Amino acid sequence: MYQTYSIKDVAAYFDISISSIRFYDKNGLLPFVSKNESGHRVFTESDMNFIHTICCLKNTGMPIKDIKRYIQLCMNGPNSISERKTMLQEHKAHVLREQEKLQENLKEIDIKIARYDSKDATSIIQAQIQYVAAEKKAHDMPNPFHV
């Protein structure tokens, strides 16, 4: 027998709100979801797979309009494979660029943490404050520090 899920089940499984699922539905991202006689959404295993993809695309920064386009292409069957592949390749390239930016930002965070872990942290920070204060003073600007 095939398993079905309620909107509450789906929300819990994907750790998203019920209102997010309704938002996705209202914005055309869930054309594959059926409603029962009472008008409640009923989700199947294959619906869950589509929702997993939607969450993945959203979590990696794809705009809702592009996710909607991707889902529409999926609903068109095999005729849209090439276009779907192109969309995903372009999105992957975007995600990889964002990942590189995050990696660079993590390096800066690691530098700061290492500085604060240093036994000389206090003297390093005091020297930085003195430098900034002198720089600001040289330009007739106020010292931003409260020390």
Side-chain angles (χ1 to χ4, degrees):
M1 188 80 177
Y2 296 111
Q3 174 82 32
T4 60
Y5 304 91
S6 69
I7 194 169
K8 184 178 177 182
D9 297 332
V10 174
Y13 184 83
F14 290 105
D15 193 26
I16 57 176
S17 67
I18 291 173
S19 62
S20 291
I21 297 169
R22 289 184 177 130
F23 173 83
Y24 295 161
D25 195 17
K26 285 182 181 180
N27 283 278
L29 273 64
L30 308 178
F32 46 84
V33 175
S34 301
K35 293 186 178 180
N36 64 16
E37 306 82 36
S38 304
H40 296 102
R41 292 168 189 87
V42 179
F43 300 84
T44 63
E45 285 292 329
S46 59
D47 296 341
M48 298 289 273
N49 291 332
F50 273 119
I51 293 169
H52 180 262
T53 299
I54 290 168
C55 290
C56 171
L57 295 174
K58 182 187 172 295
N59 291 340
T60 55
M62 183 180 275
I64 295 292
K65 68 177 181 59
D66 292 343
I67 298 172
K68 179 180 179 179
R69 176 72 182 137
Y70 178 79
I71 295 298
Q72 288 170 339
L73 290 170
C74 291
M75 297 299 104
N76 290 337
N79 295 341
S80 65
I81 288 173
S82 177
E83 195 172 347
R84 284 188 259 168
K85 179 181 174 186
T86 299
M87 274 188 85
L88 292 179
Q89 287 172 325
E90 289 170 359
H91 183 63
K92 179 181 178 180
H94 169 76
V95 170
L96 289 171
R97 285 189 303 274
E98 290 301 309
Q99 196 174 32
E100 287 175 16
K101 289 178 192 175
L102 282 173
Q103 201 60 41
E104 285 300 313
N105 290 324
L106 278 173
K107 286 179 187 176
E108 175 66 13
I109 291 169
D110 285 340
I111 289 168
K112 297 291 186 192
I113 291 170
R115 182 174 298 143
Y116 301 146
D117 279 343
S118 166
K119 64 179 172 79
D120 299 323
T122 300
S123 61
I124 292 169
I125 299 305
Q126 286 173 337
Q128 288 176 330
I129 290 171
Q130 288 173 354
Y131 176 84
V132 170
E135 180 184 48
K136 295 292 184 176
K137 185 177 181 180
H139 293 287
D140 293 322
M141 297 176 178
N143 182 347
F145 292 99
H146 307 287
V147 291

